[in-house]
Amino acid sequence: MPRYKLTIEYDGSKFSGWQRQEGTPSVQQSLEEAIAAFCGQPLTLHCAGRTDAGVHALAQVAHLDFSEAYDPHRILMAINAHVRPQPVSVLSVEPVAADFHARFSATARHYRYRIVNRRAPPALDMGRAWHVPVALNADTMQEAAKRLLGHHDFTSFRDSHCQAKSPMRTLDALSVTRYEQDIVVEASARSFLHHQVRIMVGTLALAGRGKWTAEEVAAALAACDRTAAGPTAPAGGLYLTGVDY
Amino acid sequence: MPRYKLTIEYDGSKFSGWQRQEGTPSVQQSLEEAIAAFCGQPLTLHCAGRTDAGVHALAQVAHLDFSEAYDPHRILMAINAHVRPQPVSVLSVEPVAADFHARFSATARHYRYRIVNRRAPPALDMGRAWHVPVALNADTMQEAAKRLLGHHDFTSFRDSHCQAKSPMRTLDALSVTRYEQDIVVEASARSFLHHQVRIMVGTLALAGRGKWTAEEVAAALAACDRTAAGPTAPAGGLYLTGVDY
């Protein structure tokens, strides 16, 4: 059973999330239907990170096993042809070893969060960024972000529906940068808890507005209580930008 | 009659263009309906450049006359509230002199054209860039672009439906820059002919593919014949990025 690694871009605003769900469009279903149309068999895709409804990907990674070997370029062209007009695109296809697993072999996941920080709502970035009309101080957000780096119990930054066994995670990078009216948050870790990036961004935004100090963000982490942290930032601003193996 | 200048962003993929047309959604209609809901009167917006179906704007400019003076911030908030959920956003509102005209007072118009130059079709940039799957050499395109600068008869780069009286235009800037998989063309002129930017980009792409030399692009200009230039690049890659007064 030859195994292939796929790197995938998608516009999450058109889907109920990565994972197949009865009665709603998912990225997984769109791709699996395109794959079945190509090879004539129902196959299952396993992804690195099951993104929520509205969350985008610039480079999601998934693997699947075909019953026979195909030319990677042919797989890419066929899936992209069959998946149209869904906003999903396979960027690359590579043969991988039989023990490669998109989810379990991953050593790091990288996410980007985009905030449009201006009075007027975004037109072109509708559903692709969080609109924050009040002024945010990116430097203050960056200071607060540093308090979340490292190995911690991230219970405060974990959705109540999170199914992970442990709330312990190691946050390797969390940076906040302003580009004119855009504020971009970049986050990297081996793995994240459910909604972790979005709750971290929602909390950093409180610091950016001057409502919380960096100390208060650190205290929210130490509280190990979801109600101690800020709100969950909207899904549309979040992008899975890469997975390391 | 107090006159106001509006700067406007929109996602052109949802509209049949700027201009009102019976039975199809237009940017102008969306905004004029929002304005009527605010002030209770039907008013007409005059814009700097009537963009075609699918063409986007980061900073279109338009003016209108209210029957009474309003606070500019109130105008902005009211139009943006009423225009939802259309992908149109008023970025700024300024009072201007009675002789200001969005179209006739403009001294320069700036457009950007985005090409996604990679094998895989764009998912997030579907309808927001031209997908060119074969390799383009941006340096060759830049060389060819230089041949179009200056004051010329641009008949070769003018749509057959263009209603301008004269084909003479002065192209002040035309640059081609690669940013990883994206190629961005920036064009500036006092005014452009109908489809001029898109035909220039379609022609530069022939140079980027190695099919035409810079000399052949110059010869196409000199021919003063639409059939001598390249194809019209798709609308979705074009953005009106600013207007000078």
Side-chain angles (χ1 to χ4, degrees), chain B residues 129-211:
Chain B
W130 179 23
H131 177 224
V132 177
V134 298
L136 295 174
N137 184 323
D139 295 334
T140 307
M141 292 172 71
Q142 173 62 37
E143 274 309 304
K146 286 183 194 165
R147 307 305 181 96
L148 302 178
L149 289 174
H151 187 67
H152 303 288
D153 178 333
F154 279 99
T155 295
S156 301
F157 296 87
R158 174 187 194 174
D159 184 75
S160 58
H161 296 97
C162 182
Q163 291 171 9
K165 283 179 192 149
S166 165
M168 302 304 295
R169 288 292 184 274
T170 302
L171 184 62
D172 295 315
L174 187 65
S175 68
V176 182
T177 312
R178 176 178 282 281
Y179 302 93
E180 298 180 4
Q181 299 182 323
D182 278 16
I183 291 176
V184 175
V185 182
E186 303 269 4
S188 298
R190 184 180 187 92
S191 68
F192 289 95
L193 298 166
H194 195 204
H195 286 182
Q196 184 180 344
V197 178
R198 291 164 56 190
I199 299 169
M200 292 193 302
V201 170
T203 304
L204 293 180
L206 292 172
R209 291 176 66 171
K211 292 200 166 190

Side-chain angles (χ1 to χ4, degrees), chain A residues 83-127:
Chain A
V83 85
R84 298 286 96 176
Q86 298 297 324
V88 180
S89 183
V90 178
L91 305 182
S92 68
V93 176
E94 300 163 58
V96 286
D99 64 351
F100 173 89
H101 194 288
R103 182 172 170 199
F104 301 119
S105 307
T107 56
R109 291 167 173 84
H110 307 285
Y111 284 91
R112 180 176 301 150
Y113 196 95
R114 290 188 56 212
I115 298 170
V116 170
N117 188 33
R118 68 179 193 194
R119 195 165 52 177
L124 275 155
D125 283 326
M126 201 182 268

Side-chain angles (χ1 to χ4, degrees), chain B residues 202-243:
Chain B
T203 304
L204 293 180
L206 292 172
R209 291 176 66 171
K211 292 200 166 190
W212 284 24
T213 63
E215 297 307 323
E216 286 172 301
V217 171
L221 174 66
C224 295
D225 173 359
R226 173 68 190 90
T227 64
T232 307
L238 188 61
Y239 297 73
L240 175 54
T241 57
V243 185

Side-chain angles (χ1 to χ4, degrees), chain A:
Chain A
M1 300 282 277
R3 181 163 288 190
Y4 294 88
K5 173 190 174 193
L6 277 56
T7 304
I8 304 155
E9 177 184 297
Y10 49 85
D11 175 356
S13 65
K14 305 295 191 292
F15 299 102
S16 60
W18 167 271
Q19 197 165 18
R20 264 184 187 270
Q21 286 182 59
E22 197 68 44
T24 58
S26 62
V27 181
Q28 187 182 11
Q29 183 184 350
S30 294
L31 284 167
E32 287 178 354
E33 285 177 0
I35 290 161
F38 159 58
C39 72
Q41 291 182 308
L43 297 176
T44 300
L45 270 175
H46 301 271
C47 77
R50 284 170 294 183
T51 52
D52 285 322
V55 175
H56 315 289
L58 296 177
Q60 169 74 280
V61 174
H63 79 263
L64 84 169
D65 297 323
F66 281 110
S67 59
E68 57 180 299
Y70 294 102
D71 171 48
H73 179 67
R74 191 179 151 206
I75 298 172
L76 182 144
M77 297 299 281
I79 298 176
N80 283 342
H82 286 295
V83 85
R84 298 286 96 176
Q86 298 297 324
V88 180
S89 183
V90 178
L91 305 182
S92 68
V93 176
E94 300 163 58
V96 286
D99 64 351
F100 173 89
H101 194 288
R103 182 172 170 199
F104 301 119
S105 307
T107 56
R109 291 167 173 84
H110 307 285
Y111 284 91
R112 180 176 301 150
Y113 196 95
R114 290 188 56 212
I115 298 170
V116 170
N117 188 33
R118 68 179 193 194
R119 195 165 52 177
L124 275 155
D125 283 326
M126 201 182 268
R128 295 171 177 222
W130 179 22
H131 176 223
V132 177
V134 297
L136 295 174
N137 184 323
D139 295 334
T140 308
M141 292 172 71
Q142 173 63 38
E143 273 309 303
K146 285 184 194 165
R147 308 304 183 96
L148 302 178
L149 289 175
H151 186 68
H152 304 288
D153 179 332
F154 278 98
T155 295
S156 301
F157 296 87
R158 174 187 194 174
D159 184 73
S160 58
H161 296 98
C162 181
Q163 291 171 9
K165 283 178 191 151
S166 165
M168 302 303 296
R169 289 293 184 274
T170 303
L171 184 62
D172 295 315
L174 187 66
S175 68
V176 182
T177 311
R178 176 178 282 280
Y179 303 93
E180 299 180 3
Q181 299 183 323
D182 278 16
I183 291 177
V184 175
V185 181
E186 304 268 4
S188 297
R190 184 178 188 93
S191 68
F192 289 94
L193 299 165
H194 193 205
H195 286 183
Q196 185 180 343
V197 178
R198 291 165 56 190
I199 300 170
M200 292 194 301
V201 170
T203 305
L204 293 181
L206 292 172
R209 292 175 65 171
K211 293 201 165 190
W212 286 23
T213 63
E215 296 307 322
E216 287 173 300
V217 171
L221 175 66
C224 296
D225 174 358
R226 173 66 191 91
T227 64
T232 307
L238 187 61
Y239 297 74
L240 175 55
T241 58
V243 185
D244 296 346
Y245 293 94

